[in-house]
Amino acid sequence: MKKYNIFYSSPLDLDFLMLEHYPEIYKKAIPKNGGPRIPEKDKEPDKFAAKVTNAVAATLKSEDAKGETYTEEQKELMIWYNYHFLGRGKPVTHMNALSLMDDEKIKEKTPPVLMEIFDKIDKILFKK
């Protein structure tokens, strides 16, 4: 599909890809007293598990979704995905997160698919 300028991010979408590559930055990009309310995993394991289950269902847009192809870490990250991308504006969320990074931070962990997209854009715009 790349020859048709169609690129895929994995395991879900571009928003999740960015959250997965820069989780601490996106967690810092929340407004004061904001963010999801997450039960402590060790102190309230049942409540935490329920929060993750609900996040998976919301992220995958199905009450029956179990997220079997995702790791436990990815499922837990879906709590943050829901907060950042299902309940708020995606562009603003990304701009807030990117504003907290310097060029080095961005370059050190840029997802490979984004580098491919940037290279393709460069070739299209500048006929390289």
Side-chain angles (χ1 to χ4, degrees):
M1 298 302 289
K2 289 179 185 177
K3 70 181 180 180
Y4 298 108
N5 299 327
I6 298 172
F7 295 81
Y8 292 94
S9 63
S10 177
L12 183 61
D13 61 13
L14 182 62
D15 303 315
F16 193 81
L17 181 74
M18 292 296 289
L19 179 61
E20 191 171 36
H21 274 76
Y22 305 105
E24 294 311 313
I25 297 296
Y26 279 86
K27 289 175 184 178
K28 285 182 188 176
I30 58 173
K32 188 173 184 162
N33 298 319
R37 303 295 177 245
I38 305 172
E40 289 188 47
K41 189 175 185 176
D42 297 332
K43 291 183 180 179
E44 300 178 285
D46 291 340
K47 288 182 180 181
F48 181 81
K51 183 80 172 185
V52 171
T53 298
N54 291 335
V56 169
T59 299
L60 302 179
K61 297 180 178 23
S62 170
E63 291 180 18
D64 299 325
K66 304 289 184 236
E68 294 169 351
T69 61
Y70 297 89
T71 67
E72 287 307 310
E73 292 81 15
Q74 289 170 329
K75 290 178 192 177
E76 291 174 13
L77 205 52
M78 289 181 189
I79 296 170
W80 289 92
Y81 178 91
N82 289 324
Y83 172 77
H84 281 301
F85 303 115
L86 299 183
R88 302 173 57 205
K90 291 181 180 192
V92 171
T93 298
H94 289 300
M95 289 186 332
N96 286 344
L98 290 170
S99 73
L100 297 172
M101 292 186 238
D102 59 25
D103 289 346
E104 281 303 310
K105 182 71 172 175
I106 293 171
K107 288 177 186 176
E108 81 181 35
K109 287 187 135 183
T110 300
V113 69
L114 283 183
M115 294 307 297
E116 290 181 70
I117 292 169
F118 297 150
D119 289 342
K120 181 57 103 169
I121 291 169
D122 190 52
K123 287 176 184 170
I124 290 170
L125 291 178
F126 301 106
K127 308 287 187 217
K128 291 184 177 182

